[in-house]
Amino acid sequence: MSDITREQVLEYDRNYNQHPWLTGNIDPIPVEKADGIYFWDYNGKRYYDMSSQLANVNLGYGNKDIIEAIHKQVEILPYIAPAYASGPRAELAKELISLAPDNMGKVFFTCGGSDANEAAIYAARTFTGKSKILSRYRSYHGSTLGSGNLSGDPRRFALETPAATGFLKFFDPYTYRSNIEFKSDEEASDYYLNLLEEQIQYEGADNIAAIEVESITGANGVIIPPNGYLQGLRRLCDKYGILLICDEVMAGFGRTGKMFAFEHWEIKPDIISFAKGITCGYVQLGGIIVSKEIADYFNGHTFLYGLTYSGHSLACAAGLAAVNYYREHKILDHVNEVGVVFGKLLNKLKADHRSVGDVRYIGLFGAVELVKNRDKKIPLVPYGYDENKTMARIHGLLKERGFAAFGRENNINITPPLIITEDELRSAFKLLDEVLTIVDNEFLA
Ligand SMILES: Cc1ncc(COP(=O)(O)O)c(C=O)c1O
């Protein structure tokens, strides 16, 4: 525990910490403690954690089961190298296979989502002997060399080097921002899948190892695929002998009301990458779940990818406790119940505020997309040109009121801890409503 003062926290942070994706002198909230769905700064101000930090603290703070599991494990065996077998690692892998679709065979643990996707790239390329990987522009898959190039959003630019080749992008089924008025989800799915099929043919199916998608695009605005899209993607992959990798790092572990988001469309991927909600941030953990076929391949071939902390004992103990907690406390049922209220509150925001162009939600995975003009769908801030820091100012207004969230482009992503109650949700939304009134009145000119 660190017991330096608020002023020291700010001074040392400013002088010695580099924050990710931010420029120079930022003004971070110095956070002292947290409990349930809240955290507090050093002045005692309370914040609703309406993003579960980075959509990872799914079970909120102060979860006694997870804390106790970590305490027990640290005393028995805090760490053991990945070449050994250990209780938490073995048991958690078995649990994950039981939660995953029945085509899944084995788990490889990493330390988080980026290296999980790095492992997915490695496994897919090695298993298929092919090199190209297709992913979508509005995706985020991580910040290491491979996962960064897999990502479509601009965070990949710094990592695009000649050393990383074979990463190709296609467009998301982002129907709200399409010029075409689709009559149905199926029509939209067909449209986007036809374009993708043509791209596959022009890239050469024999060169494509995998298509990787976030089952539901998360950081870039909770873009929910139209019905039929993921099923169609599965069919395309089968037709052309391409692996389907579903990134469940953000959408997995109950966020959408199912354990894995792809379950909404009843598909079976070949590889699933996961992280975040598996341990809810108490200790970092990620990994991939691979199909029996891929697992069998690596029974006969060396898996040439490894990490000192692969399947860390404390992380796996935390993961086991979290998975048990999701099950015993019926968290998925809770998400589905409170998710109905969440949807109603989001729709009410859309009805009440002309700055809200679209709201998207599934379970407790939501986004509010802001516009300057609702009829013409003109984004509040043109893509890539937020010179006046409009979105940062809006997030600042929210934080002033104790509503902490994040978002990219014109979105306010809302991904509260899955334990949030209806009353807590309603109180937090009052703060959002207040800020959107200011946006309506002062930001649309
Ligand atoms: C969908 C998705 N994949 C991968 C990652 C990368 O995970 P990590 O930050 O744990 O490396 C993220 C992080 O936000 C993510 O949202």
Side-chain angles (χ1 to χ4, degrees):
M1 197 188 140
S2 165
D3 51 15
I4 58 175
T5 63
R6 175 183 187 277
E7 285 63 37
Q8 286 170 317
V9 172
L10 285 172
E11 183 194 330
Y12 299 173
D13 179 80
R14 188 169 47 248
N15 292 338
Y16 307 114
N17 278 134
Q18 174 61 54
H19 289 257
W21 302 302
L22 293 167
T23 322
N25 292 326
I26 59 162
D27 190 17
I29 298 170
V31 178
E32 189 180 20
K33 59 180 186 180
D35 191 34
I37 65 154
Y38 305 105
F39 62 85
W40 283 262
D41 69 16
Y42 277 74
N43 290 331
K45 177 172 169 181
R46 191 183 79 169
Y47 295 81
Y48 286 87
D49 187 351
M50 294 306 282
S51 64
S52 306
Q53 293 305 302
L54 295 179
N56 60 330
V57 189
N58 285 8
L59 293 175
Y61 304 95
N63 183 294
K64 297 277 181 298
D65 294 19
I66 305 179
I67 294 169
E68 201 178 304
I70 298 167
H71 278 171
K72 276 193 185 150
Q73 188 59 42
V74 78
E75 287 185 358
I76 301 167
L77 181 67
Y79 170 79
I80 188 79
Y84 295 90
S86 86
R89 189 156 52 217
E91 201 180 340
L92 183 56
K94 182 170 180 291
E95 274 293 333
L96 288 174
I97 294 300
S98 76
L99 293 172
D102 60 8
N103 64 325
M104 288 292 154
K106 274 193 180 172
V107 180
F108 174 77
F109 287 112
T110 63
C111 305
S114 301
D115 43 349
N117 283 319
E118 210 69 54
I121 295 165
Y122 165 73
R125 285 181 165 166
T126 309
F127 174 73
T128 60
K130 303 193 266 180
S131 61
K132 291 185 185 177
I133 314 240
L134 267 63
S135 54
R136 294 187 302 214
Y137 279 107
R138 281 192 170 80
S139 67
Y140 180 68
H141 296 290
S143 227
T144 51
L145 189 62
S147 66
N149 276 278
L150 196 61
S151 301
D153 86 29
R155 284 175 283 184
R156 80 172 186 282
F157 294 162
L159 296 162
E160 280 186 318
T161 75
T165 54
F167 294 97
L168 301 148
K169 302 289 174 295
F170 60 103
F171 279 103
D172 312 61
Y174 188 11
T175 49
Y176 175 66
R177 287 256 157 248
S178 170
N179 296 332
I180 304 168
E181 287 284 332
F182 296 110
K183 288 192 200 69
S184 66
D185 272 26
E186 287 66 25
E187 192 181 286
S189 295
D190 284 351
Y191 173 79
Y192 289 103
L193 291 167
N194 285 340
L195 283 177
L196 177 60
E197 180 159 17
E198 196 175 343
Q199 195 176 350
I200 292 172
Q201 289 162 350
Y202 269 84
E203 290 298 338
D206 290 349
N207 305 319
I208 304 173
I211 296 179
E212 173 153 353
V213 293
E214 291 178 70
S215 310
I216 293 172
T217 296
N220 288 297
V222 187
I223 302 170
I224 303 166
N227 286 326
Y229 179 84
L230 281 183
Q231 296 95 316
L233 204 53
R234 176 71 273 180
R235 276 197 302 277
L236 277 184
C237 286
D238 290 342
K239 178 170 172 189
Y240 291 100
I242 296 168
L243 297 179
L244 177 59
I245 307 175
C246 284
D247 181 333
E248 288 276 335
V249 169
M250 192 181 276
F253 293 95
R255 171 60 54 201
T256 68
K258 301 259 188 204
M259 208 40 147
F260 297 108
F262 59 74
E263 290 172 33
H264 289 281
W265 297 278
E266 296 179 354
I267 59 149
K268 295 179 188 177
D270 300 294
I271 301 179
I272 302 164
S273 55
F274 66 88
K276 296 193 189 267
I278 176 80
T279 53
C280 303
Y282 285 73
V283 187
Q284 64 274 48
L285 183 67
I288 52 172
I289 310 176
V290 300
S291 68
K292 288 177 184 149
E293 221 185 321
I294 299 175
D296 280 350
Y297 172 86
F298 284 109
N299 284 337
H301 298 80
T302 310
F303 192 80
L304 271 176
Y305 182 88
L307 304 158
T308 297
Y309 296 119
S310 171
H312 193 283
S313 306
L314 301 188
C316 288
L320 259 181
V323 168
N324 286 333
Y325 196 92
Y326 283 113
R327 189 185 298 116
E328 283 164 19
H329 293 261
K330 299 194 179 358
I331 296 297
L332 300 187
D333 291 347
H334 177 70
V335 171
N336 288 315
E337 275 163 33
V338 85
V340 175
V341 179
F342 186 55
K344 283 188 183 150
L345 290 168
L346 284 165
N347 278 322
K348 176 136 180 32
L349 289 182
K350 188 171 167 185
D352 292 350
H353 297 282
R354 62 197 176 97
S355 57
V356 176
D358 195 23
V359 292
R360 296 180 286 275
Y361 54 88
I362 181 166
L364 284 171
F365 204 15
V368 174
E369 180 162 346
L370 300 178
V371 287
K372 253 199 152 93
N373 179 314
R374 185 142 71 180
D375 295 335
K376 297 186 184 150
K377 297 189 185 174
I378 298 174
L380 182 60
V381 181
Y383 185 65
Y385 294 96
D386 196 357
E387 279 157 4
N388 299 325
K389 301 209 178 311
T390 305
M391 288 307 291
R393 276 160 51 216
I394 293 170
H395 281 285
L397 290 171
L398 287 166
K399 288 211 175 84
E400 269 172 28
R401 286 158 180 77
F403 184 110
F406 72 87
R408 295 181 59 76
E409 300 186 17
N410 288 283
N411 298 301
I412 303 170
N413 278 19
I414 309 173
T415 57
L418 307 183
I419 53 166
I420 196 165
T421 63
E422 197 178 312
D423 286 348
E424 287 168 333
L425 208 50
R426 288 186 193 283
S427 311
F429 264 70
K430 283 198 185 123
L431 307 175
L432 182 54
D433 181 57
E434 242 176 79
V435 169
L436 289 174
T437 304
I438 299 175
V439 177
D440 287 344
N441 296 334
E442 296 175 25
F443 285 66
L444 300 192

